[in-house]
Amino acid sequence: MARSGIQYGDVQQAIDTLLSQGDTPSVQRIREVLGTGSFTTISEHFRQWRSEREQNRDVPPPKGVPEVVVSAASSLWAQAQEAANEALAHYREDANRQVLEAREAAESADQNALDAEQREKALAEHLRHTEARLEALSRELATLESNQAQLVEQATRAEQQTERAQRAFEALETRYYALEENGQQERQALQSGWEQRLSQEEERNEAAEGKLMTLLDTLRQERAQEDKAHQKRVNQMEQKQRTLEESLASQTQALQQKNRDEQSARERFSHLEQQISHLEKQNQSLEALNATLMREREKAEQRLVETRTEADEASAWQQSLNEQVLALHRQLEELPQTLEAARYKESTKKPSR
């Protein structure tokens, strides 16, 4: 239905203006005269004007025209109208087909553009989630690096403690060997002195033998106690060293596990970078597809305008044909008067008796 902006009277007045100027009416020419209005509205009013004009042309010829002339004129008019209708039907069919194809192409382009926009939104949402996940992984990687630095520092302190314990153990071992050597030298010196003293005093003091044996037992006990205390200190140092070694091994394993976790995080980060690169390429492809669809849509619109132009040209051709038929009608209407004038002329030329 035509919109209320442009009325039929406006279109009819514009057509009268064009006819008075000797121009052939068309949708484009009518719109130029009006200066506004949509092609659809003007086209509907233009079709109504042509329909009314066709109906007015079916008025019967005036009386007094010979039947042969009427028959010939009617036959000629029927042939002309049939040829015009066939040509117009052909042009209308072709124009409708092209308009339908152009509309289908435009709808397809709009649908493709809508699908591309939806895919682009989905990819943008996926990219946003990926970026958020990447940011979380980056924070996790920073935390792992901080924990790694702390573990490295703890391992360094443990190594320093182990080195200090090793140096203390070596110092104790050196002191143990020195004490053992001094004790052996002292024992040798005492034994030598005791043997000499015994040999000198053997005959003079038999009672001293019992005292000397008692003194030797005391020395052996002290030596045994000293050996036990030294062995206990050595065992304690060995236990402490084993504890430090176990702690160092545990920290080393934890550090290795952190290194493996860091490597896994780096691999996930690299995989995410590859996914982001792939998504960027897909986004570029979608942008190129969207540009192609826009170009196709513009071409479809251009074809639609060209089709409408061809339809207007067909209407102009039909208008010209209608004007020719109208001229033939006027000639047929003037034919009785011409025949009457010819009869009168013939009658005036006859001689009087």
Side-chain angles (χ1 to χ4, degrees), residues 226-242:
E226 186 178 355
D227 290 340
K228 289 180 179 179
H230 176 69
Q231 185 64 34
K232 184 177 180 181
R233 288 194 298 272
V234 171
N235 292 334
Q236 290 177 353
M237 291 300 297
E238 289 177 352
Q239 181 65 28
K240 187 176 182 180
Q241 183 179 5
R242 285 194 298 270

Side-chain angles (χ1 to χ4, degrees), residues 343-353:
R343 292 194 192 99
Y344 177 76
K345 188 176 181 180
E346 289 291 335
S347 63
T348 56
K349 288 182 181 181
K350 291 181 179 181
S352 60
R353 292 180 181 178

Side-chain angles (χ1 to χ4, degrees), residues 253-286:
Q253 290 178 357
L255 180 60
Q256 291 176 354
Q257 182 64 32
K258 291 295 182 181
N259 290 333
R260 288 192 294 270
D261 294 340
E262 180 183 358
Q263 182 65 26
S264 177
R266 288 177 179 173
E267 291 176 355
R268 291 196 301 270
F269 183 78
S270 177
H271 182 65
L272 287 175
E273 287 183 341
Q274 293 176 359
Q275 288 183 349
I276 291 173
S277 177
H278 181 65
L279 290 175
E280 289 177 349
K281 291 180 180 178
Q282 287 184 350
N283 192 19
Q284 292 175 358
S285 299
L286 287 175

Side-chain angles (χ1 to χ4, degrees), residues 4 7 23 27 53 70 74 76 80 87 111-112 123 156 163 177 186 226 231 252 254 267 282 299 305 316 320 351:
S4 60
Q7 303 298 327
D23 293 338
V27 176
R53 187 169 181 178
V70 173
S74 299
L76 180 60
Q111 184 63 36
N112 291 332
L123 288 174
T156 303
E163 290 178 357
Y177 288 137
E186 289 177 359
E226 186 178 355
Q231 185 64 34
T252 302
E267 291 176 355
Q282 287 184 350
K299 290 179 180 179
V305 172
S320 176

Side-chain angles (χ1 to χ4, degrees), residues 137-297:
L137 288 175
S138 299
R139 291 195 298 268
E140 184 179 355
L141 180 60
T143 303
L144 290 175
E145 290 178 352
S146 177
N147 294 335
Q148 181 184 5
Q150 294 177 0
L151 289 174
V152 170
E153 184 178 358
Q154 293 176 1
T156 303
R157 288 198 299 268
E159 290 178 356
Q160 293 176 356
Q161 292 177 359
T162 303
E163 290 178 357
R164 288 195 297 269
Q166 184 67 26
R167 289 195 295 270
F169 176 75
E170 292 176 355
L172 290 173
E173 189 176 11
T174 302
R175 183 179 178 185
Y176 169 75
Y177 288 137
L179 290 173
E180 186 177 7
E181 184 177 359
N182 292 333
Q184 186 176 2
Q185 291 177 359
E186 289 177 359
R187 286 194 301 272
Q188 290 177 355
L190 288 174
Q191 186 176 0
S192 177
W194 290 335
E195 288 177 356
Q196 183 178 1
R197 186 180 298 178
L198 285 173
S199 62
Q200 291 175 359
E201 293 181 0
E202 184 176 4
E203 294 178 356
R204 292 184 300 167
N205 194 358
E206 295 179 355
E209 183 177 358
K211 186 178 180 180
L212 181 59
M213 294 299 294
T214 303
L215 182 59
L216 287 175
D217 292 337
T218 302
L219 289 174
R220 289 191 183 96
Q221 291 176 0
E222 290 177 356
R223 174 59 181 169
Q225 291 177 359
E226 186 178 355
D227 290 340
K228 289 180 179 179
H230 176 69
Q231 185 64 34
K232 184 177 180 181
R233 288 194 298 272
V234 171
N235 292 334
Q236 290 177 353
M237 291 300 297
E238 289 177 352
Q239 181 65 28
K240 187 176 182 180
Q241 183 179 5
R242 285 194 298 270
T243 303
L244 290 174
E245 288 176 353
E246 290 174 357
S247 177
L248 180 60
S250 177
Q251 292 177 358
T252 302
Q253 290 178 357
L255 180 60
Q256 291 176 354
Q257 182 64 32
K258 291 295 182 181
N259 290 333
R260 288 192 294 270
D261 294 340
E262 180 183 358
Q263 182 65 26
S264 177
R266 288 177 179 173
E267 291 176 355
R268 291 196 301 270
F269 183 78
S270 177
H271 182 65
L272 287 175
E273 287 183 341
Q274 293 176 359
Q275 288 183 349
I276 291 173
S277 177
H278 181 65
L279 290 175
E280 289 177 349
K281 291 180 180 178
Q282 287 184 350
N283 192 19
Q284 292 175 358
S285 299
L286 287 175
E287 290 178 352
L289 177 60
N290 191 16
T292 302
L293 290 175
M294 291 299 294
R295 288 194 296 271
E296 291 179 357
R297 183 178 181 179

